[in-house]
Amino acid sequence: MNTHFWKDLKRPILVLAPMAGYTESPFRRLIKEIEPSTVLISELISAEAMRRTNEKTLRMAEFTPDVKKYYCVQLFGNDQTAFIEAGKVVEKIGADGIDINLGCPSPKVIGSGHGSALLKDPESTARMIEALVASTKLPVL
Ligand SMILES: Cc1cc2nc3c(=O)[nH]c(=O)nc-3n(C[C@H](O)[C@H](O)[C@H](O)COP(=O)(O)O)c2cc1C
């Protein structure tokens, strides 16, 4: 059962938008210091690399306890098993949720069929997300 923390958040909800190359760990901590109610999201992180617990990737996702409540890892990819296994790693490191990148327009990301390329086939993307939701106890944003 996915316990969705959004329900308990005070309105309006403040979220740090994921920004590749910017919303890395020290930046996320800084934002939390400025406004503790902010929900933090990592930079986009490869589901394939996350499932393999690549060291550099784990460093991108790492967080300090003071940013918990709430911190979500954003995954990108296009493979259901990779998302499910990466989701397990996100659970294991203790993050509060999983965000899926469906919007990145960068040619490199689209070229690999990731990011906004997933929206070319909404039905199979929806099935992939449903499978991830069913496989994790974390909320999927
Ligand atoms: C430099 C940069 C990097 C970004 N990286 C990501 C990303 O990794 N994942 C994502 O979902 N969106 C990413 N975005 C999109 C932002 O999260 C946000 O949705 C976008 O900037 C629109 O918000 P705004 O109108 O407040 O600028 C990025 C945007 C910028 C400017």
Side-chain angles (χ1 to χ4, degrees):
M1 161 71 168
N2 310 56
T3 18
H4 217 306
F5 60 78
W6 292 114
K7 288 198 300 296
D8 305 325
L9 292 176
K10 272 215 329 251
R11 266 58 176 169
I13 297 171
L14 191 62
V15 182
L16 174 66
M19 283 178 289
Y22 294 90
T23 54
E24 52 197 9
S25 181
F27 187 83
R28 296 194 296 263
R29 283 208 311 278
L30 179 66
I31 295 296
K32 202 70 178 172
E33 229 176 271
I34 295 168
E35 179 43 62
S37 72
T38 314
V39 177
L40 301 175
I41 317 235
S42 70
E43 312 170 68
L44 85 176
I45 291 181
S46 159
E48 283 290 349
M50 197 68 173
R51 88 198 279 204
R52 285 185 271 108
T53 59
N54 173 282
E55 202 183 315
K56 193 167 155 232
T57 305
L58 288 175
R59 266 207 308 278
M60 280 175 82
E62 78 182 358
F63 59 96
T64 49
D66 50 314
V67 307
K68 281 276 286 176
K69 283 186 181 274
Y70 293 96
Y71 165 62
C72 304
V73 172
Q74 184 183 76
L75 297 174
F76 75 92
N78 63 4
D79 179 81
Q80 182 168 305
T81 312
F83 272 119
I84 289 173
E85 289 181 10
K88 294 286 167 218
V89 180
V90 176
E91 266 181 35
K92 201 160 165 209
I93 65 171
D96 301 302
I98 301 167
D99 181 41
I100 301 191
N101 186 301
L102 296 169
C104 184
S106 112
K108 200 173 147 206
V109 172
I110 301 180
S112 319
H114 303 145
S116 55
L118 292 179
L119 300 178
K120 281 195 204 151
D121 187 350
E123 281 84 16
S124 63
T125 296
R127 280 196 298 278
M128 191 168 71
I129 294 171
E130 277 165 9
L132 172 64
V133 170
S135 73
T136 177
K137 61 179 183 335
L138 293 179
V140 178
L141 318 181

